[in-house]
Amino acid sequence: MSKKGDLKKAIEESEREIEALEKKRMRSQSALMEAHINNVAPNASDIEYFKIYSNLIELERKNLRQLNSELNKLK
């Protein structure tokens, strides 16, 4: 496959990964919001999951920006 094709495929995979991570983060985000609304301390694991998924999303977005940059250089 060509370099452009490989990059386009990698971009699609990266976008799907971001969507999956955001869905997972949403679960812990909902639990944190519920704890906040109910004026109770959030579960430590929910906080940790939220932080981990947020960091993974940021790393994947950085990767996506790099892939898009490489693709734009080839055009």
Side-chain angles (χ1 to χ4, degrees):
M1 211 187 249
S2 71
K3 179 75 172 173
K4 280 186 183 181
D6 290 342
L7 284 171
K8 287 180 181 180
K9 184 176 179 181
I11 288 169
E12 289 174 9
E13 289 174 10
S14 181
E15 288 172 342
R16 282 193 299 271
E17 181 65 19
I18 290 171
E19 285 181 35
L21 289 168
E22 286 176 339
K23 285 179 184 178
K24 291 177 182 179
R25 181 178 67 173
M26 194 176 303
R27 292 180 196 139
S28 59
Q29 186 177 9
S30 295
L32 293 174
M33 187 67 115
E34 182 179 359
H36 179 71
I37 289 170
N38 292 328
N39 238 2
V40 296
N43 187 322
S45 63
D46 289 329
I47 294 170
E48 191 63 27
Y49 283 130
F50 182 81
K51 288 179 181 179
I52 289 169
Y53 286 125
S54 293
N55 287 333
L56 290 172
I57 290 166
E58 187 55 39
L59 288 172
E60 194 60 41
R61 285 181 180 159
K62 183 177 179 182
N63 179 49
L64 181 59
R65 285 189 294 270
Q66 181 181 355
L67 291 170
N68 277 317
S69 176
E70 288 179 36
L71 181 62
N72 288 334
K73 288 178 184 176
L74 292 177
K75 290 184 178 181

